Amino acid sequence: MSTLTTPHIDVHRGGDRMKTRVSWLDSKHSFSFGEHYDPDNTHHGLLLVNNEDIVSPGQGFDTHPHRDMEIVTWVLGGSLVHQDSLGHSGVIYPGLAQRMSAGTGILHSEKNDSWRLDGHLAEHEDPVHFVQMWVVPDEPGLTPGYEQLEIDDELAGGGLVTVASGLPRYRDRTAIAINSSHSALHVARMASAEPGAEQVVDLPDAPYLHLFVARGEVDMEGVGPLYEGDAVRLTRSGGQRVVARQPSEILVWEMHARLGAQ
């Protein structure tokens, strides 16, 4: 694959994503995933998976394997229970950063944090809504690992918060580390304080950027309105202003390499 040497911005609308729907799962895939394969849509930079999932109460993904992947999960609503073969367990909820390094191999399950009492839903009755993202590690065969940290207070400021990173430049202000020295995930909760107010963030400059509107609606300089589920893939670009005039949340991957060219 050749590297683009001129700036390029590619908008992908949420309604055009590939979809997996079963009785307990509504999943939308930004890139090829599972049985959905498009040779022209396999990744951007080092990002291979950007799945937006809604899982029904009491349901979820049974134990399954992963290998040689850095997996970051970001919950938008509800709560998700993680358990893995290394003995890690935890409940992931909005404002909690979580990373699983699959490395040489790991088994894990992810379930909606709901339970039933006498056949009726009790406690945590809502679906869990989350985005799961996979990036390529620096090298295969790393030791599997897990990390999580609550960063709700940092997000309250409305600016871009570095959630997960392997980039040296963010070492002192990264919530959790990933084994990808060319990648960083930033999140901004852009909740306007009052009607008519605006909140603004500036995108970083990088060879590859992926912006995903996880919630709400924003305006991006040079692009225009972006709605919930929309994504923008930028190559040799960055620095654009993103403006929110309503409560919104964006996920931004900053990447300084691409698959096969690290």
Side-chain angles (χ1 to χ4, degrees):
M1 181 187 305
S2 62
T3 301
L4 292 176
T5 57
T6 57
H8 184 74
I9 297 177
D10 191 9
V11 179
H12 291 253
R13 296 299 178 184
D16 296 332
R17 290 175 292 177
M18 296 170 279
K19 302 173 181 65
T20 298
R21 289 199 176 108
V22 295
S23 60
W24 56 273
L25 172 67
D26 181 358
S27 184
K28 301 179 181 70
H29 318 294
S30 296
F31 303 98
S32 295
F33 189 81
E35 64 182 21
H36 303 286
Y37 180 71
D38 176 355
D40 295 322
N41 185 27
T42 58
H43 68 285
H44 181 65
L46 297 172
L47 181 64
L48 275 72
V49 169
N50 188 88
N51 286 350
E52 181 183 3
D53 294 341
I54 299 175
V55 175
S56 299
Q59 303 292 322
F61 300 94
D62 291 328
T63 302
H64 57 282
H66 289 287
R67 187 181 183 91
D68 290 328
M69 200 64 61
E70 297 294 294
I71 300 173
V72 179
T73 302
W74 187 253
V75 174
L76 299 167
S79 53
L80 187 71
V81 175
H82 165 95
Q83 293 182 313
D84 65 45
S85 54
L86 296 181
H88 303 118
S89 63
V91 178
I92 315 165
Y93 47 84
L96 184 83
Q98 188 250 31
R99 176 267 299 166
M100 185 180 74
S101 299
T104 54
I106 195 169
L107 300 170
H108 81 138
S109 64
E110 296 163 301
K111 301 291 182 70
N112 188 333
D113 184 26
S114 301
W115 50 279
R116 292 176 181 271
L117 181 64
D118 296 330
H120 299 286
L121 284 173
E123 298 288 340
H124 308 295
E125 296 181 357
D126 296 327
V128 59
H129 182 194
F130 62 98
V131 181
Q132 188 166 94
M133 299 152 281
W134 301 5
V135 293
V136 179
D138 288 336
E139 57 184 294
L142 297 172
T143 301
Y146 179 88
E147 187 178 6
Q148 66 178 49
L149 181 70
E150 185 168 342
I151 58 171
D152 210 52
D153 290 344
E154 289 85 345
L155 291 165
L160 281 176
V161 176
T162 307
V163 172
S165 175
L167 286 167
R169 72 182 67 182
Y170 298 122
R171 184 168 292 128
D172 295 333
R173 57 185 178 95
T174 298
I176 53 176
I178 54 176
N179 295 304
S180 178
S181 59
H182 302 285
S183 306
L185 171 66
H186 312 284
V187 175
R189 282 185 183 164
M190 304 168 69
S192 299
E194 57 187 42
E198 294 183 350
Q199 283 198 321
V200 180
V201 299
D202 294 322
L203 296 180
D205 287 306
Y208 302 94
L209 289 174
H210 184 272
L211 181 151
F212 178 70
V213 183
R215 190 195 312 277
E217 176 185 338
V218 299
D219 277 289
M220 180 176 164
E221 182 181 359
V223 173
L226 295 170
Y227 306 97
E228 194 164 295
D230 288 352
V232 184
R233 303 175 193 181
L234 301 94
T235 305
R236 302 292 177 192
S237 187
Q240 293 89 347
R241 289 163 53 91
V242 178
V243 181
R245 299 178 179 86
Q246 60 177 269
S248 303
E249 192 162 339
I250 59 172
L251 312 182
V252 179
W253 277 98
E254 172 187 350
M255 297 166 286
H256 293 260
R258 62 179 173 85
L259 188 64
Q262 294 159 261

mmCIF file of all heavy atoms in Angstrom, residues 192-239:
data_model
loop_
_atom_site.group_PDB
_atom_site.id
_atom_site.type_symbol
_atom_site.label_atom_id
_atom_site.label_comp_id
_atom_site.label_asym_id
_atom_site.label_seq_id
_atom_site.Cartn_x
_atom_site.Cartn_y
_atom_site.Cartn_z
ATOM 1 N N SER A 192 -22.019 21.620 25.932
ATOM 2 C CA SER A 192 -22.228 23.064 26.049
ATOM 3 C C SER A 192 -22.857 23.401 27.393
ATOM 4 O O SER A 192 -23.806 22.756 27.839
ATOM 5 C CB SER A 192 -23.123 23.561 24.910
ATOM 6 O OG SER A 192 -22.517 23.322 23.667
ATOM 7 N N ALA A 193 -22.340 24.441 28.016
ATOM 8 C CA ALA A 193 -22.824 24.819 29.344
ATOM 9 C C ALA A 193 -24.186 25.481 29.294
ATOM 10 O O ALA A 193 -24.960 25.403 30.244
ATOM 11 C CB ALA A 193 -21.807 25.750 30.010
ATOM 12 N N GLU A 194 -24.501 26.142 28.197
ATOM 13 C CA GLU A 194 -25.780 26.829 28.097
ATOM 14 C C GLU A 194 -26.193 26.905 26.629
ATOM 15 O O GLU A 194 -25.356 26.759 25.728
ATOM 16 C CB GLU A 194 -25.655 28.230 28.690
ATOM 17 C CG GLU A 194 -24.579 29.065 28.039
ATOM 18 C CD GLU A 194 -24.372 30.381 28.753
ATOM 19 O OE1 GLU A 194 -24.364 30.381 29.994
ATOM 20 O OE2 GLU A 194 -24.212 31.402 28.059
ATOM 21 N N PRO A 195 -27.486 27.109 26.364
ATOM 22 C CA PRO A 195 -27.947 27.186 24.977
ATOM 23 C C PRO A 195 -27.189 28.244 24.180
ATOM 24 O O PRO A 195 -26.969 29.365 24.652
ATOM 25 C CB PRO A 195 -29.430 27.550 25.112
ATOM 26 C CG PRO A 195 -29.820 27.045 26.465
ATOM 27 C CD PRO A 195 -28.591 27.227 27.324
ATOM 28 N N GLY A 196 -26.769 27.876 22.984
ATOM 29 C CA GLY A 196 -26.047 28.800 22.135
ATOM 30 C C GLY A 196 -24.552 28.840 22.365
ATOM 31 O O GLY A 196 -23.814 29.419 21.563
ATOM 32 N N ALA A 197 -24.089 28.216 23.435
ATOM 33 C CA ALA A 197 -22.656 28.210 23.722
ATOM 34 C C ALA A 197 -21.944 27.200 22.831
ATOM 35 O O ALA A 197 -22.543 26.239 22.350
ATOM 36 C CB ALA A 197 -22.414 27.877 25.190
ATOM 37 N N GLU A 198 -20.664 27.436 22.604
ATOM 38 C CA GLU A 198 -19.868 26.537 21.792
ATOM 39 C C GLU A 198 -18.686 26.010 22.598
ATOM 40 O O GLU A 198 -18.171 26.699 23.467
ATOM 41 C CB GLU A 198 -19.306 27.262 20.555
ATOM 42 C CG GLU A 198 -20.331 27.716 19.557
ATOM 43 C CD GLU A 198 -19.682 28.362 18.337
ATOM 44 O OE1 GLU A 198 -18.448 28.607 18.386
ATOM 45 O OE2 GLU A 198 -20.378 28.620 17.348
ATOM 46 N N GLN A 199 -18.294 24.777 22.285
ATOM 47 C CA GLN A 199 -17.032 24.258 22.783
ATOM 48 C C GLN A 199 -16.209 23.833 21.584
ATOM 49 O O GLN A 199 -16.731 23.261 20.629
ATOM 50 C CB GLN A 199 -17.241 23.090 23.746
ATOM 51 C CG GLN A 199 -17.686 23.554 25.136
ATOM 52 C CD GLN A 199 -17.466 22.486 26.188
ATOM 53 O OE1 GLN A 199 -17.678 21.316 25.936
ATOM 54 N NE2 GLN A 199 -17.061 22.899 27.369
ATOM 55 N N VAL A 200 -14.911 24.122 21.647
ATOM 56 C CA VAL A 200 -14.043 23.917 20.497
ATOM 57 C C VAL A 200 -12.820 23.104 20.913
ATOM 58 O O VAL A 200 -12.244 23.341 21.984
ATOM 59 C CB VAL A 200 -13.575 25.270 19.911
ATOM 60 C CG1 VAL A 200 -12.661 25.051 18.714
ATOM 61 C CG2 VAL A 200 -14.774 26.129 19.529
ATOM 62 N N VAL A 201 -12.432 22.148 20.066
ATOM 63 C CA VAL A 201 -11.149 21.471 20.212
ATOM 64 C C VAL A 201 -10.440 21.520 18.871
ATOM 65 O O VAL A 201 -11.076 21.599 17.812
ATOM 66 C CB VAL A 201 -11.292 20.005 20.683
ATOM 67 C CG1 VAL A 201 -11.954 19.923 22.051
ATOM 68 C CG2 VAL A 201 -12.052 19.167 19.670
ATOM 69 N N ASP A 202 -9.128 21.487 18.922
ATOM 70 C CA ASP A 202 -8.307 21.443 17.718
ATOM 71 C C ASP A 202 -7.717 20.041 17.583
ATOM 72 O O ASP A 202 -7.134 19.508 18.545
ATOM 73 C CB ASP A 202 -7.176 22.469 17.792
ATOM 74 C CG ASP A 202 -7.687 23.900 17.778
ATOM 75 O OD1 ASP A 202 -8.655 24.164 17.040
ATOM 76 O OD2 ASP A 202 -7.140 24.732 18.520
ATOM 77 N N LEU A 203 -7.856 19.463 16.407
ATOM 78 C CA LEU A 203 -7.311 18.138 16.171
ATOM 79 C C LEU A 203 -5.785 18.198 16.119
ATOM 80 O O LEU A 203 -5.205 19.182 15.647
ATOM 81 C CB LEU A 203 -7.843 17.566 14.854
ATOM 82 C CG LEU A 203 -9.352 17.322 14.778
ATOM 83 C CD1 LEU A 203 -9.716 16.747 13.411
ATOM 84 C CD2 LEU A 203 -9.820 16.387 15.893
ATOM 85 N N PRO A 204 -5.116 17.143 16.581
ATOM 86 C CA PRO A 204 -3.656 17.112 16.459
ATOM 87 C C PRO A 204 -3.232 16.934 15.008
ATOM 88 O O PRO A 204 -4.035 16.532 14.154
ATOM 89 C CB PRO A 204 -3.265 15.886 17.305
ATOM 90 C CG PRO A 204 -4.483 15.021 17.309
ATOM 91 C CD PRO A 204 -5.661 15.951 17.255
ATOM 92 N N ASP A 205 -1.989 17.277 14.729
ATOM 93 C CA ASP A 205 -1.404 17.023 13.408
ATOM 94 C C ASP A 205 -0.767 15.639 13.425
ATOM 95 O O ASP A 205 -0.015 15.313 14.350
ATOM 96 C CB ASP A 205 -0.337 18.068 13.074
ATOM 97 C CG ASP A 205 -0.939 19.417 12.734
ATOM 98 O OD1 ASP A 205 -1.800 19.466 11.837
ATOM 99 O OD2 ASP A 205 -0.548 20.410 13.370
ATOM 100 N N ALA A 206 -1.062 14.837 12.409
ATOM 101 C CA ALA A 206 -0.503 13.488 12.348
ATOM 102 C C ALA A 206 -0.652 12.951 10.936
ATOM 103 O O ALA A 206 -1.535 13.394 10.184
ATOM 104 C CB ALA A 206 -1.214 12.567 13.333
ATOM 105 N N PRO A 207 0.185 11.994 10.550
ATOM 106 C CA PRO A 207 0.019 11.378 9.232
ATOM 107 C C PRO A 207 -1.343 10.725 9.050
ATOM 108 O O PRO A 207 -1.889 10.718 7.949
ATOM 109 C CB PRO A 207 1.149 10.340 9.187
ATOM 110 C CG PRO A 207 2.172 10.842 10.151
ATOM 111 C CD PRO A 207 1.395 11.500 11.242
ATOM 112 N N TYR A 208 -1.896 10.181 10.158
ATOM 113 C CA TYR A 208 -3.202 9.515 10.084
ATOM 114 C C TYR A 208 -4.018 9.898 11.315
ATOM 115 O O TYR A 208 -3.548 9.796 12.449
ATOM 116 C CB TYR A 208 -3.046 7.985 10.027
ATOM 117 C CG TYR A 208 -2.211 7.526 8.855
ATOM 118 C CD1 TYR A 208 -0.845 7.317 9.008
ATOM 119 C CD2 TYR A 208 -2.785 7.318 7.595
ATOM 120 C CE1 TYR A 208 -0.065 6.917 7.935
ATOM 121 C CE2 TYR A 208 -2.012 6.914 6.522
ATOM 122 C CZ TYR A 208 -0.650 6.714 6.698
ATOM 123 O OH TYR A 208 0.114 6.330 5.622
ATOM 124 N N LEU A 209 -5.246 10.342 11.068
ATOM 125 C CA LEU A 209 -6.197 10.629 12.137
ATOM 126 C C LEU A 209 -7.513 9.928 11.819
ATOM 127 O O LEU A 209 -7.909 9.831 10.647
ATOM 128 C CB LEU A 209 -6.460 12.129 12.265
ATOM 129 C CG LEU A 209 -5.368 13.038 12.813
ATOM 130 C CD1 LEU A 209 -5.815 14.493 12.704
ATOM 131 C CD2 LEU A 209 -5.031 12.696 14.255
ATOM 132 N N HIS A 210 -8.191 9.478 12.861
ATOM 133 C CA HIS A 210 -9.532 8.917 12.705
ATOM 134 C C HIS A 210 -10.408 9.549 13.769
ATOM 135 O O HIS A 210 -10.183 9.378 14.973
ATOM 136 C CB HIS A 210 -9.515 7.398 12.880
ATOM 137 C CG HIS A 210 -10.843 6.746 12.637
ATOM 138 N ND1 HIS A 210 -11.791 6.592 13.640
ATOM 139 C CD2 HIS A 210 -11.395 6.209 11.517
ATOM 140 C CE1 HIS A 210 -12.851 5.981 13.136
ATOM 141 N NE2 HIS A 210 -12.637 5.747 11.861
ATOM 142 N N LEU A 211 -11.402 10.336 13.338
ATOM 143 C CA LEU A 211 -12.343 10.980 14.249
ATOM 144 C C LEU A 211 -13.678 10.255 14.152
ATOM 145 O O LEU A 211 -14.211 10.071 13.049
ATOM 146 C CB LEU A 211 -12.510 12.452 13.906
ATOM 147 C CG LEU A 211 -13.452 13.273 14.793
ATOM 148 C CD1 LEU A 211 -13.012 14.728 14.826
ATOM 149 C CD2 LEU A 211 -14.910 13.207 14.308
ATOM 150 N N PHE A 212 -14.226 9.867 15.305
ATOM 151 C CA PHE A 212 -15.516 9.190 15.355
ATOM 152 C C PHE A 212 -16.447 9.964 16.280
ATOM 153 O O PHE A 212 -16.080 10.280 17.422
ATOM 154 C CB PHE A 212 -15.355 7.755 15.866
ATOM 155 C CG PHE A 212 -16.652 6.997 15.997
ATOM 156 C CD1 PHE A 212 -17.366 6.610 14.878
ATOM 157 C CD2 PHE A 212 -17.166 6.687 17.252
ATOM 158 C CE1 PHE A 212 -18.563 5.919 14.992
ATOM 159 C CE2 PHE A 212 -18.360 5.994 17.377
ATOM 160 C CZ PHE A 212 -19.056 5.617 16.243
ATOM 161 N N VAL A 213 -17.630 10.299 15.782
ATOM 162 C CA VAL A 213 -18.627 10.996 16.605
ATOM 163 C C VAL A 213 -19.427 9.937 17.358
ATOM 164 O O VAL A 213 -20.299 9.279 16.804
ATOM 165 C CB VAL A 213 -19.554 11.874 15.748
ATOM 166 C CG1 VAL A 213 -20.523 12.635 16.643
ATOM 167 C CG2 VAL A 213 -18.742 12.852 14.899
ATOM 168 N N ALA A 214 -19.101 9.777 18.617
ATOM 169 C CA ALA A 214 -19.749 8.751 19.423
ATOM 170 C C ALA A 214 -21.107 9.194 19.950
ATOM 171 O O ALA A 214 -21.982 8.369 20.220
ATOM 172 C CB ALA A 214 -18.845 8.366 20.595
ATOM 173 N N ARG A 215 -21.274 10.506 20.073
ATOM 174 C CA ARG A 215 -22.524 11.032 20.630
ATOM 175 C C ARG A 215 -22.715 12.468 20.159
ATOM 176 O O ARG A 215 -21.756 13.236 20.071
ATOM 177 C CB ARG A 215 -22.455 10.988 22.163
ATOM 178 C CG ARG A 215 -23.753 11.275 22.888
ATOM 179 C CD ARG A 215 -23.508 11.563 24.350
ATOM 180 N NE ARG A 215 -22.637 10.604 24.998
ATOM 181 C CZ ARG A 215 -23.059 9.427 25.490
ATOM 182 N NH1 ARG A 215 -24.323 9.092 25.373
ATOM 183 N NH2 ARG A 215 -22.225 8.630 26.089
ATOM 184 N N GLY A 216 -23.954 12.828 19.824
ATOM 185 C CA GLY A 216 -24.268 14.211 19.516
ATOM 186 C C GLY A 216 -23.961 14.600 18.083
ATOM 187 O O GLY A 216 -24.060 13.803 17.149
ATOM 188 N N GLU A 217 -23.552 15.854 17.916
ATOM 189 C CA GLU A 217 -23.316 16.430 16.593
ATOM 190 C C GLU A 217 -22.244 17.505 16.708
ATOM 191 O O GLU A 217 -22.251 18.297 17.651
ATOM 192 C CB GLU A 217 -24.610 17.031 16.053
ATOM 193 C CG GLU A 217 -24.496 17.753 14.731
ATOM 194 C CD GLU A 217 -25.786 18.416 14.310
ATOM 195 O OE1 GLU A 217 -26.865 18.003 14.789
ATOM 196 O OE2 GLU A 217 -25.723 19.372 13.509
ATOM 197 N N VAL A 218 -21.321 17.520 15.766
ATOM 198 C CA VAL A 218 -20.270 18.536 15.769
ATOM 199 C C VAL A 218 -20.105 19.102 14.359
ATOM 200 O O VAL A 218 -20.598 18.526 13.387
ATOM 201 C CB VAL A 218 -18.916 17.964 16.258
ATOM 202 C CG1 VAL A 218 -19.019 17.445 17.687
ATOM 203 C CG2 VAL A 218 -18.411 16.856 15.314
ATOM 204 N N ASP A 219 -19.429 20.236 14.271
ATOM 205 C CA ASP A 219 -19.024 20.808 12.989
ATOM 206 C C ASP A 219 -17.508 20.741 12.920
ATOM 207 O O ASP A 219 -16.816 21.182 13.852
ATOM 208 C CB ASP A 219 -19.480 22.256 12.861
ATOM 209 C CG ASP A 219 -20.914 22.367 12.398
ATOM 210 O OD1 ASP A 219 -21.168 22.066 11.222
ATOM 211 O OD2 ASP A 219 -21.777 22.732 13.228
ATOM 212 N N MET A 220 -17.002 20.227 11.812
ATOM 213 C CA MET A 220 -15.557 20.133 11.626
ATOM 214 C C MET A 220 -15.122 21.079 10.525
ATOM 215 O O MET A 220 -15.718 21.112 9.439
ATOM 216 C CB MET A 220 -15.158 18.699 11.278
ATOM 217 C CG MET A 220 -13.677 18.511 11.058
ATOM 218 S SD MET A 220 -13.269 16.771 10.760
ATOM 219 C CE MET A 220 -11.623 16.974 10.063
ATOM 220 N N GLU A 221 -14.098 21.854 10.799
ATOM 221 C CA GLU A 221 -13.559 22.803 9.828
ATOM 222 C C GLU A 221 -13.190 22.092 8.526
ATOM 223 O O GLU A 221 -12.484 21.077 8.530
ATOM 224 C CB GLU A 221 -12.331 23.481 10.426
ATOM 225 C CG GLU A 221 -11.690 24.525 9.549
ATOM 226 C CD GLU A 221 -10.457 25.129 10.195
ATOM 227 O OE1 GLU A 221 -10.113 24.741 11.331
ATOM 228 O OE2 GLU A 221 -9.837 25.997 9.537
ATOM 229 N N GLY A 222 -13.702 22.586 7.414
ATOM 230 C CA GLY A 222 -13.404 22.008 6.123
ATOM 231 C C GLY A 222 -14.272 20.831 5.742
ATOM 232 O O GLY A 222 -14.196 20.335 4.613
ATOM 233 N N VAL A 223 -15.116 20.377 6.667
ATOM 234 C CA VAL A 223 -15.981 19.211 6.417
ATOM 235 C C VAL A 223 -17.450 19.579 6.565
ATOM 236 O O VAL A 223 -18.296 19.210 5.754
ATOM 237 C CB VAL A 223 -15.620 18.041 7.358
ATOM 238 C CG1 VAL A 223 -16.620 16.899 7.216
ATOM 239 C CG2 VAL A 223 -14.196 17.547 7.079
ATOM 240 N N GLY A 224 -17.780 20.297 7.652
ATOM 241 C CA GLY A 224 -19.169 20.635 7.930
ATOM 242 C C GLY A 224 -19.756 19.774 9.019
ATOM 243 O O GLY A 224 -19.024 19.199 9.835
ATOM 244 N N PRO A 225 -21.084 19.637 9.061
ATOM 245 C CA PRO A 225 -21.728 18.894 10.140
ATOM 246 C C PRO A 225 -21.378 17.406 10.120
ATOM 247 O O PRO A 225 -21.328 16.776 9.057
ATOM 248 C CB PRO A 225 -23.227 19.092 9.874
ATOM 249 C CG PRO A 225 -23.309 20.279 8.971
ATOM 250 C CD PRO A 225 -22.068 20.260 8.150
ATOM 251 N N LEU A 226 -21.131 16.869 11.306
ATOM 252 C CA LEU A 226 -20.925 15.441 11.500
ATOM 253 C C LEU A 226 -21.895 14.985 12.568
ATOM 254 O O LEU A 226 -22.017 15.624 13.625
ATOM 255 C CB LEU A 226 -19.490 15.151 11.936
ATOM 256 C CG LEU A 226 -18.383 15.464 10.921
ATOM 257 C CD1 LEU A 226 -17.012 15.356 11.581
ATOM 258 C CD2 LEU A 226 -18.479 14.529 9.713
ATOM 259 N N TYR A 227 -22.571 13.885 12.297
ATOM 260 C CA TYR A 227 -23.621 13.410 13.184
ATOM 261 C C TYR A 227 -23.183 12.121 13.881
ATOM 262 O O TYR A 227 -22.185 11.488 13.507
ATOM 263 C CB TYR A 227 -24.904 13.185 12.384
ATOM 264 C CG TYR A 227 -25.328 14.404 11.600
ATOM 265 C CD1 TYR A 227 -25.003 14.524 10.243
ATOM 266 C CD2 TYR A 227 -26.004 15.457 12.215
ATOM 267 C CE1 TYR A 227 -25.364 15.654 9.526
ATOM 268 C CE2 TYR A 227 -26.376 16.586 11.499
ATOM 269 C CZ TYR A 227 -26.051 16.681 10.154
ATOM 270 O OH TYR A 227 -26.401 17.804 9.445
ATOM 271 N N GLU A 228 -23.956 11.743 14.886
ATOM 272 C CA GLU A 228 -23.643 10.550 15.665
ATOM 273 C C GLU A 228 -23.426 9.344 14.746
ATOM 274 O O GLU A 228 -24.259 9.052 13.888
ATOM 275 C CB GLU A 228 -24.787 10.272 16.642
ATOM 276 C CG GLU A 228 -24.445 9.281 17.732
ATOM 277 C CD GLU A 228 -25.459 9.357 18.871
ATOM 278 O OE1 GLU A 228 -25.526 10.407 19.532
ATOM 279 O OE2 GLU A 228 -26.188 8.373 19.073
ATOM 280 N N GLY A 229 -22.297 8.663 14.898
ATOM 281 C CA GLY A 229 -21.960 7.514 14.070
ATOM 282 C C GLY A 229 -21.087 7.846 12.882
ATOM 283 O O GLY A 229 -20.515 6.943 12.253
ATOM 284 N N ASP A 230 -20.958 9.125 12.547
ATOM 285 C CA ASP A 230 -20.094 9.515 11.436
ATOM 286 C C ASP A 230 -18.627 9.412 11.840
ATOM 287 O O ASP A 230 -18.263 9.545 13.017
ATOM 288 C CB ASP A 230 -20.379 10.962 11.009
ATOM 289 C CG ASP A 230 -21.703 11.116 10.282
ATOM 290 O OD1 ASP A 230 -22.339 10.097 9.964
ATOM 291 O OD2 ASP A 230 -22.092 12.281 10.034
ATOM 292 N N ALA A 231 -17.775 9.201 10.831
ATOM 293 C CA ALA A 231 -16.331 9.144 11.056
ATOM 294 C C ALA A 231 -15.623 9.887 9.942
ATOM 295 O O ALA A 231 -16.120 9.978 8.820
ATOM 296 C CB ALA A 231 -15.845 7.699 11.119
ATOM 297 N N VAL A 232 -14.460 10.431 10.270
ATOM 298 C CA VAL A 232 -13.617 11.106 9.285
ATOM 299 C C VAL A 232 -12.219 10.504 9.361
ATOM 300 O O VAL A 232 -11.640 10.402 10.448
ATOM 301 C CB VAL A 232 -13.541 12.626 9.534
ATOM 302 C CG1 VAL A 232 -12.726 13.304 8.431
ATOM 303 C CG2 VAL A 232 -14.940 13.234 9.601
ATOM 304 N N ARG A 233 -11.696 10.112 8.196
ATOM 305 C CA ARG A 233 -10.334 9.584 8.107
ATOM 306 C C ARG A 233 -9.472 10.645 7.426
ATOM 307 O O ARG A 233 -9.750 11.061 6.309
ATOM 308 C CB ARG A 233 -10.317 8.283 7.316
ATOM 309 C CG ARG A 233 -11.248 7.227 7.908
ATOM 310 C CD ARG A 233 -11.303 5.974 7.044
ATOM 311 N NE ARG A 233 -12.413 5.112 7.464
ATOM 312 C CZ ARG A 233 -12.707 3.941 6.904
ATOM 313 N NH1 ARG A 233 -11.975 3.487 5.886
ATOM 314 N NH2 ARG A 233 -13.732 3.229 7.348
ATOM 315 N N LEU A 234 -8.439 11.082 8.138
ATOM 316 C CA LEU A 234 -7.568 12.132 7.630
ATOM 317 C C LEU A 234 -6.173 11.559 7.401
ATOM 318 O O LEU A 234 -5.651 10.813 8.240
ATOM 319 C CB LEU A 234 -7.486 13.295 8.613
ATOM 320 C CG LEU A 234 -8.803 13.999 8.971
ATOM 321 C CD1 LEU A 234 -9.405 13.419 10.233
ATOM 322 C CD2 LEU A 234 -8.562 15.494 9.164
ATOM 323 N N THR A 235 -5.588 11.925 6.274
ATOM 324 C CA THR A 235 -4.232 11.513 5.943
ATOM 325 C C THR A 235 -3.407 12.761 5.639
ATOM 326 O O THR A 235 -3.838 13.626 4.877
ATOM 327 C CB THR A 235 -4.230 10.572 4.725
ATOM 328 O OG1 THR A 235 -5.094 9.464 4.990
ATOM 329 C CG2 THR A 235 -2.826 10.062 4.438
ATOM 330 N N ARG A 236 -2.232 12.856 6.263
ATOM 331 C CA ARG A 236 -1.359 14.023 6.104
ATOM 332 C C ARG A 236 -2.115 15.314 6.397
ATOM 333 O O ARG A 236 -2.013 16.304 5.669
ATOM 334 C CB ARG A 236 -0.778 14.075 4.686
ATOM 335 C CG ARG A 236 0.014 12.855 4.291
ATOM 336 C CD ARG A 236 1.296 12.749 5.090
ATOM 337 N NE ARG A 236 2.034 11.530 4.747
ATOM 338 C CZ ARG A 236 3.063 11.063 5.440
ATOM 339 N NH1 ARG A 236 3.454 11.699 6.526
ATOM 340 N NH2 ARG A 236 3.689 9.967 5.073
ATOM 341 N N SER A 237 -2.892 15.293 7.454
ATOM 342 C CA SER A 237 -3.720 16.446 7.773
ATOM 343 C C SER A 237 -3.800 16.597 9.286
ATOM 344 O O SER A 237 -3.109 15.914 10.032
ATOM 345 C CB SER A 237 -5.119 16.275 7.157
ATOM 346 O OG SER A 237 -5.893 17.438 7.321
ATOM 347 N N GLY A 238 -4.643 17.503 9.725
ATOM 348 C CA GLY A 238 -4.798 17.738 11.151
ATOM 349 C C GLY A 238 -4.830 19.226 11.445
ATOM 350 O O GLY A 238 -4.632 20.069 10.558
ATOM 351 N N GLY A 239 -5.097 19.563 12.703
ATOM 352 C CA GLY A 239 -5.175 20.946 13.124
ATOM 353 C C GLY A 239 -6.535 21.582 12.949
ATOM 354 O O GLY A 239 -6.747 22.726 13.357
#
